[in-house]
Amino acid sequence: MPDSKQISLVRMQAGQSGKVVEIQGGHGMVNRLSALGIRPGKRITKVGSMLMRGPVTIQVDRAQVAIGFGMASRIIVEMG
Amino acid sequence: MACHRVGNRKNKSSGIKKVLLVGNPNVGKSVLFSRLTGVKVIASNYPGTTVSYTHGAMKLGEGEVEVIDVPGTYTLEPTCEAEQIALNMLEDGDLVINVVNATNLERNLYLTLQLLERDIPVIVALNMWDDTKHRGIDIDLEKLRELLRVPVIPTVAVTGQGIKELVESIPQATSPHLPAQSHDERWAVIGRITDQVQRITHRHHTWAEHLEDASVKPLTGGLIAMVVLAAAFWVVRFIGEGLIGYVLDPFFNEVWAPLLLRLSSLLGGSGFLHEIIVGRLTNGEINFVESFGLLSSGLYVPLAMVLPYIISFYLVLGLLEDVGYLPRLGVLVDTVMHRFGLHGYAIIPGLLGFGCNVPAILATRILESRRERFIAATLISIAVPCAALQAMIFGLVGARGGQYVAIIYGTLFVVWVVLGFILNHTVRGFSPELLIEIPPYRLPPWRAVLQKLWMRSYGFLREAVPIILVAILVINILYFWGVFEVITNFTAPVVTSLLGLPKEAVTALVIGFLRKDVALGMLAPLGLTSGQLVVGSVVLAMFFPCVATFVVLIRELGVVNMLKAAGIMISVALVTGGLLNLVL
């Protein structure tokens, strides 16, 4: 069985899902994300991302959320 | 229990004066508000439609209570202006109707818990209840009521289902006074609640969901955007031109003109009164664009030139808003908008600006930082012409050839890009990253689309027509007194040498402060070359905002920043106009 690996949202492929394990940001960023339902322990699916460091769109529960590239690169997801 | 006593005191419906509608963005608060109060408000399918509050009255028992539609917020710890407004309003409400999106219970309950911790009675309206069924969500209402200890009423605001029950439950509302908790504690509580009340059955993607996903991927998203925008532009032109060519022009030329000519001969065919009411005749005929009388140009400009494009533009915009496309466009253009110190969501105020700059500048409240709001408001005031001005550009400049219209739009686009780039490198502060919820695609209810179209078109008639008539009256009187002569001679050096326009064009720029559509109309009788008309249109669009926009800019930016913005507008307009004059 392959080890579960942890990567940032921007490195996930469209269609892959995983569990958020860490948000590497300050209080403000953690709060804004958690208000949108994105917090450690949450299962998310990547819908897609724009070229040239564009925003990443993910599915969390019944909602889609678009997240700027910089923020997305600091959201760490455990795959599998 | 102590808390129950407090609850009972607030319980009496007679004690309730102010009811607040509070909830996450885009859960249907505005639609519910319309249902409760009968007051029509603009509702759309994207987060942040309501950026200031609207209030109305609702019958409750014997009396009336005030209902307030609060801007959407995810949390009571505000992250932007609109959320701050929501929080401030919570201070003086007597009861909260917490509007919850039933299809996304978990996230919505966070705000609910925060509300339940405060000393205010709460009712939960579980809105979009009809959506839960086809999304495979099953919610145990009884259990949810028991856990939250407040009334929970399933509602479908767009159809009116559950509204009566909602109002009837108001007297039973109490505040359970939950103890204040930390983030993690709240999420733990929410987890326990959803585990007990919600069951989700898996189901396959619908075609709408496939389309949703395709809209935010680079290749398919780009294609969809091009198709949508091209179709939007085409439909706006098609409907606008159709209304003018088949309805309004025939009416004015065949019905109204003969009547006016009869009035003209009654008034003696000339003289001051004749000039004001009928305007100057051209070879004994009425030229609706150039005559500038109250009953000729004063009616023709707003009704036959501008209104058709107002109707067609807002029909298309309303559809895009209600389908839920605009936030996706925001995702698509995010990377580009960052070059201008904005993020993708700024595309929404930008697009609104093509209708009217006033709501567009209000809509910049959905942007998080002051820097972004300053940049967005400045760029919109300079480079986004409103529908009224665009209609006149199509009508007057379009008659000289499509390429001239293209030059105007191309110039404004270049100005947006260059100025945005400069502002991004000079305005201090920071611009946060995009973080938005993207609503699902919905088939817009026709009634709602038409009602919104009616509100916006009627709003134009009510607000613009009186100002247009006043503007024309003022123009005639000032001409009569020779006031313009003074102004034109004073400013002639700049206008003639730099912009290459006849000095009479200055009067149009001055009148542009009242109404830009009338102002462009004033250029019509001056016998300008096509190049001069292009310079005039561009300078008019950029030079200074109209009075309505001006007032909103002061309110939203403050006097100092407004002055900065105005300085930028005037200098950029002169530079651009001067360059165009050299090239054309």
Side-chain angles (χ1 to χ4, degrees), chain B residues 10 76-77 86-92 96 111-122 174-180:
Chain B
K10 284 210 169 179
L76 296 181
E77 293 134 16
L87 184 61
N88 295 346
M89 290 169 59
L90 208 58
E91 300 298 328
D92 48 30
V96 167
L111 178 65
T112 308
L113 285 193
Q114 285 184 316
L115 288 168
L116 295 181
E117 287 167 18
R118 297 175 75 99
D119 179 26
I120 188 165
V122 175
T174 54
S175 167
H177 289 97
L178 297 186

Side-chain angles (χ1 to χ4, degrees), chain B residues 216 249 285 302:
Chain B
V216 289
D249 263 355
E285 288 293 324

Side-chain angles (χ1 to χ4, degrees), chain A residues 31-32 34-37 39 42 47 49-52 54-55 57 62-71, chain B residues 74 79 103-104 106-107 135 183 187 200 203 213 216-218 331-332 334-335 368 433-438:
Chain A
N31 278 356
R32 287 182 68 200
S34 84
L36 283 159
R39 58 201 153 80
K42 204 70 218 178
V47 177
S49 57
M50 286 296 148
L51 302 173
M52 296 171 65
T57 306
R62 298 280 143 171
Q64 286 193 352
V65 178
I67 307 169
F69 186 88
M71 230 187 267
Chain B
Y74 293 108
T79 56
T103 65
N104 203 344
E106 179 173 319
R107 202 202 55 215
R135 284 176 168 253
H183 286 273
W187 284 119
I200 296 174
R203 89 227 126 85
D213 293 356
V216 289
K217 290 178 181 170
V331 172
L332 218 64
D334 185 60
T335 311
E368 292 88 347
E433 284 191 80
L434 180 79
L435 179 62
I436 51 165
E437 182 178 358
I438 303 181

Side-chain angles (χ1 to χ4, degrees), chain B residues 243-570:
Chain B
L243 283 173
I244 293 173
Y246 292 99
V247 183
L248 290 150
D249 263 355
F251 171 80
F252 270 90
N253 290 331
E254 270 136 57
V255 181
W256 193 240
L259 284 175
L260 268 188
L261 280 177
R262 210 172 300 169
L263 182 67
S264 163
S265 54
L266 277 178
L267 289 169
S270 62
F272 183 56
L273 200 62
H274 185 277
E275 293 264 296
I276 287 182
I277 294 175
V278 182
R280 285 173 296 278
L281 299 183
T282 316
N283 305 327
E285 288 293 324
I286 288 171
N287 181 327
F288 279 114
V289 180
E290 299 182 3
S291 59
F292 265 85
L294 286 177
L295 294 183
S296 51
S297 302
L299 294 181
Y300 184 81
V301 167
L303 299 182
M305 295 186 82
V306 176
L307 183 65
Y309 281 109
I310 295 274
I311 292 174
S312 60
F313 174 80
Y314 279 126
L315 176 68
V316 171
L317 180 71
L319 283 172
L320 290 179
E321 283 177 337
D322 289 4
V323 164
Y325 183 67
L326 299 185
R328 292 177 172 83
L329 194 58
V331 172
L332 218 64
V333 299
D334 185 60
T335 311
V336 176
M337 295 290 261
H338 273 289
R339 304 256 176 260
F340 316 136
L342 300 168
H343 63 57
Y345 218 37
I347 195 77
I348 291 185
L351 284 176
L352 288 175
F354 283 111
C356 173
N357 281 357
V358 172
I361 285 159
L362 285 177
T364 60
R365 288 183 187 172
I366 58 179
L367 304 174
E368 292 88 347
S369 77
R370 289 187 63 83
R371 168 185 141 99
E372 281 179 293
R373 297 192 60 202
F374 175 78
I375 294 177
T378 308
L379 286 179
I380 289 169
S381 316
I382 293 182
V384 180
C386 67
L389 181 59
Q390 292 183 78
M392 297 299 284
I393 290 173
F394 279 135
L396 290 180
V397 187
R400 305 286 181 95
Q403 72 273 29
Y404 296 109
V405 178
I407 295 175
I408 294 175
Y409 280 87
T411 306
L412 292 176
F413 179 74
V414 171
V415 167
W416 171 289
V417 170
V418 173
L419 183 61
F421 193 76
I422 294 172
L423 289 178
N424 184 31
H425 286 273
T426 50
V427 179
R428 264 182 297 171
F430 86 113
S431 289
E433 284 191 80
L434 180 79
L435 179 62
I436 51 165
E437 182 178 358
I438 303 181
Y441 279 144
R442 294 178 192 285
L443 267 181
W446 270 105
R447 269 183 61 93
V449 171
L450 292 179
Q451 183 192 312
K452 185 153 77 170
L453 174 62
W454 162 251
M455 283 173 63
R456 284 167 158 169
S457 308
Y458 179 71
F460 164 77
L461 289 178
R462 198 188 51 211
E463 279 153 32
V465 175
I467 300 180
I468 288 175
L469 293 176
V470 168
I472 287 183
L473 192 65
V474 169
I475 292 166
N476 276 304
I477 293 173
L478 292 186
Y479 261 125
F480 187 72
W481 284 344
V483 175
F484 282 139
E485 205 105 328
V486 181
I487 303 175
T488 47
N489 287 334
F490 182 68
T491 49
V494 178
V495 177
T496 46
S497 61
L498 185 64
L499 302 178
L501 296 174
K503 61 179 187 176
E504 290 81 10
V506 174
T507 52
L509 292 180
V510 173
I511 290 303
F513 185 58
L514 281 179
R515 290 285 313 175
K516 296 206 173 183
D517 41 10
V518 176
L520 191 54
M522 290 176 74
L523 296 180
L526 298 182
L528 302 182
T529 66
S530 300
Q532 285 176 315
L533 203 51
V534 168
V535 174
S537 304
V538 168
V539 172
L540 193 58
M542 297 170 47
F543 189 63
F544 207 76
C546 72
V547 59
T549 311
F550 182 74
V551 171
V552 178
L553 278 172
I554 289 182
R555 212 174 63 203
E556 296 297 309
L557 298 182
V559 176
V560 176
N561 279 326
M562 168 63 213
L563 288 177
K564 275 189 209 162
I568 295 171
M569 287 170 208
I570 295 171

